[in-house]
mmCIF file of all heavy atoms in Angstrom:
data_model
loop_
_atom_site.group_PDB
_atom_site.id
_atom_site.type_symbol
_atom_site.label_atom_id
_atom_site.label_comp_id
_atom_site.label_asym_id
_atom_site.label_seq_id
_atom_site.Cartn_x
_atom_site.Cartn_y
_atom_site.Cartn_z
ATOM 1 N N PRO Y 84 15.594 32.681 -132.199
ATOM 2 C CA PRO Y 84 15.173 31.307 -132.496
ATOM 3 C C PRO Y 84 15.959 30.743 -133.662
ATOM 4 O O PRO Y 84 16.557 31.491 -134.453
ATOM 5 C CB PRO Y 84 13.701 31.485 -132.880
ATOM 6 C CG PRO Y 84 13.656 32.849 -133.492
ATOM 7 C CD PRO Y 84 14.642 33.678 -132.704
ATOM 8 N N PRO Y 85 15.984 29.410 -133.817
ATOM 9 C CA PRO Y 85 16.605 28.829 -135.008
ATOM 10 C C PRO Y 85 15.789 29.168 -136.251
ATOM 11 O O PRO Y 85 14.599 29.480 -136.165
ATOM 12 C CB PRO Y 85 16.588 27.327 -134.712
ATOM 13 C CG PRO Y 85 15.486 27.142 -133.728
ATOM 14 C CD PRO Y 85 15.459 28.385 -132.902
ATOM 15 N N LEU Y 86 16.422 29.109 -137.400
ATOM 16 C CA LEU Y 86 15.714 29.308 -138.655
ATOM 17 C C LEU Y 86 14.775 28.128 -138.911
ATOM 18 O O LEU Y 86 15.006 27.028 -138.411
ATOM 19 C CB LEU Y 86 16.707 29.441 -139.810
ATOM 20 C CG LEU Y 86 17.726 30.573 -139.725
ATOM 21 C CD1 LEU Y 86 18.628 30.548 -140.950
ATOM 22 C CD2 LEU Y 86 17.044 31.915 -139.587
ATOM 23 N N ILE Y 87 13.744 28.374 -139.697
ATOM 24 C CA ILE Y 87 12.760 27.340 -140.013
ATOM 25 C C ILE Y 87 12.731 27.088 -141.517
ATOM 26 O O ILE Y 87 12.645 28.023 -142.315
ATOM 27 C CB ILE Y 87 11.346 27.748 -139.549
ATOM 28 C CG1 ILE Y 87 11.297 27.927 -138.032
ATOM 29 C CG2 ILE Y 87 10.315 26.704 -139.999
ATOM 30 C CD1 ILE Y 87 11.462 26.654 -137.256
ATOM 31 N N VAL Y 88 12.818 25.815 -141.899
ATOM 32 C CA VAL Y 88 12.547 25.383 -143.267
ATOM 33 C C VAL Y 88 11.417 24.357 -143.172
ATOM 34 O O VAL Y 88 11.566 23.337 -142.499
ATOM 35 C CB VAL Y 88 13.780 24.740 -143.934
ATOM 36 C CG1 VAL Y 88 13.397 24.138 -145.287
ATOM 37 C CG2 VAL Y 88 14.899 25.756 -144.105
ATOM 38 N N PHE Y 89 10.299 24.638 -143.799
ATOM 39 C CA PHE Y 89 9.200 23.676 -143.795
ATOM 40 C C PHE Y 89 9.417 22.644 -144.899
ATOM 41 O O PHE Y 89 9.778 22.988 -146.029
ATOM 42 C CB PHE Y 89 7.862 24.388 -143.996
ATOM 43 C CG PHE Y 89 7.389 25.144 -142.781
ATOM 44 C CD1 PHE Y 89 7.525 26.513 -142.704
ATOM 45 C CD2 PHE Y 89 6.837 24.463 -141.705
ATOM 46 C CE1 PHE Y 89 7.104 27.205 -141.588
ATOM 47 C CE2 PHE Y 89 6.420 25.147 -140.583
ATOM 48 C CZ PHE Y 89 6.549 26.517 -140.518
ATOM 49 N N VAL Y 90 9.206 21.381 -144.545
ATOM 50 C CA VAL Y 90 9.314 20.268 -145.492
ATOM 51 C C VAL Y 90 8.012 19.488 -145.385
ATOM 52 O O VAL Y 90 7.762 18.811 -144.391
ATOM 53 C CB VAL Y 90 10.513 19.358 -145.165
ATOM 54 C CG1 VAL Y 90 10.642 18.251 -146.204
ATOM 55 C CG2 VAL Y 90 11.810 20.165 -145.091
ATOM 56 N N THR Y 91 7.156 19.594 -146.393
ATOM 57 C CA THR Y 91 5.802 19.092 -146.261
ATOM 58 C C THR Y 91 5.240 18.633 -147.599
ATOM 59 O O THR Y 91 5.704 19.066 -148.658
ATOM 60 C CB THR Y 91 4.884 20.183 -145.664
ATOM 61 O OG1 THR Y 91 3.534 19.723 -145.602
ATOM 62 C CG2 THR Y 91 4.934 21.450 -146.509
ATOM 63 N N ALA Y 92 4.243 17.766 -147.537
ATOM 64 C CA ALA Y 92 3.550 17.326 -148.750
ATOM 65 C C ALA Y 92 2.378 18.235 -149.086
ATOM 66 O O ALA Y 92 1.704 18.032 -150.096
ATOM 67 C CB ALA Y 92 3.043 15.890 -148.563
ATOM 68 N N HIS Y 93 2.127 19.235 -148.257
ATOM 69 C CA HIS Y 93 0.939 20.086 -148.410
ATOM 70 C C HIS Y 93 1.357 21.483 -148.848
ATOM 71 O O HIS Y 93 1.998 22.211 -148.086
ATOM 72 C CB HIS Y 93 0.161 20.134 -147.104
ATOM 73 C CG HIS Y 93 -0.232 18.781 -146.603
ATOM 74 N ND1 HIS Y 93 -1.374 18.131 -147.030
ATOM 75 C CD2 HIS Y 93 0.397 17.931 -145.757
ATOM 76 C CE1 HIS Y 93 -1.445 16.945 -146.444
ATOM 77 N NE2 HIS Y 93 -0.387 16.802 -145.671
ATOM 78 N N GLU Y 94 0.999 21.855 -150.075
ATOM 79 C CA GLU Y 94 1.446 23.119 -150.617
ATOM 80 C C GLU Y 94 0.607 24.302 -150.158
ATOM 81 O O GLU Y 94 0.988 25.455 -150.330
ATOM 82 C CB GLU Y 94 1.451 23.063 -152.154
ATOM 83 C CG GLU Y 94 0.101 23.142 -152.830
ATOM 84 C CD GLU Y 94 -0.643 21.818 -152.830
ATOM 85 O OE1 GLU Y 94 -0.107 20.827 -152.294
ATOM 86 O OE2 GLU Y 94 -1.759 21.766 -153.348
ATOM 87 N N GLY Y 95 -0.540 24.058 -149.542
ATOM 88 C CA GLY Y 95 -1.477 25.134 -149.243
ATOM 89 C C GLY Y 95 -1.110 26.036 -148.082
ATOM 90 O O GLY Y 95 -1.823 26.998 -147.812
ATOM 91 N N PHE Y 96 -0.020 25.750 -147.388
ATOM 92 C CA PHE Y 96 0.342 26.553 -146.216
ATOM 93 C C PHE Y 96 1.531 27.478 -146.487
ATOM 94 O O PHE Y 96 2.103 28.046 -145.555
ATOM 95 C CB PHE Y 96 0.683 25.637 -145.030
ATOM 96 C CG PHE Y 96 -0.449 24.756 -144.604
ATOM 97 C CD1 PHE Y 96 -0.526 23.448 -145.038
ATOM 98 C CD2 PHE Y 96 -1.455 25.239 -143.781
ATOM 99 C CE1 PHE Y 96 -1.570 22.623 -144.655
ATOM 100 C CE2 PHE Y 96 -2.507 24.423 -143.388
ATOM 101 C CZ PHE Y 96 -2.569 23.119 -143.827
ATOM 102 N N ALA Y 97 1.895 27.634 -147.753
ATOM 103 C CA ALA Y 97 3.109 28.395 -148.074
ATOM 104 C C ALA Y 97 3.038 29.833 -147.592
ATOM 105 O O ALA Y 97 4.000 30.367 -147.034
ATOM 106 C CB ALA Y 97 3.361 28.354 -149.583
ATOM 107 N N VAL Y 98 1.907 30.500 -147.807
ATOM 108 C CA VAL Y 98 1.795 31.899 -147.407
ATOM 109 C C VAL Y 98 1.930 32.036 -145.894
ATOM 110 O O VAL Y 98 2.644 32.909 -145.385
ATOM 111 C CB VAL Y 98 0.475 32.505 -147.907
ATOM 112 C CG1 VAL Y 98 0.283 33.916 -147.361
ATOM 113 C CG2 VAL Y 98 0.453 32.541 -149.435
#
Side-chain angles (χ1 to χ4, degrees):
L86 301 180
I87 298 292
V88 172
F89 286 102
V90 183
T91 177
H93 304 275
E94 75 280 0
F96 299 98
V98 174

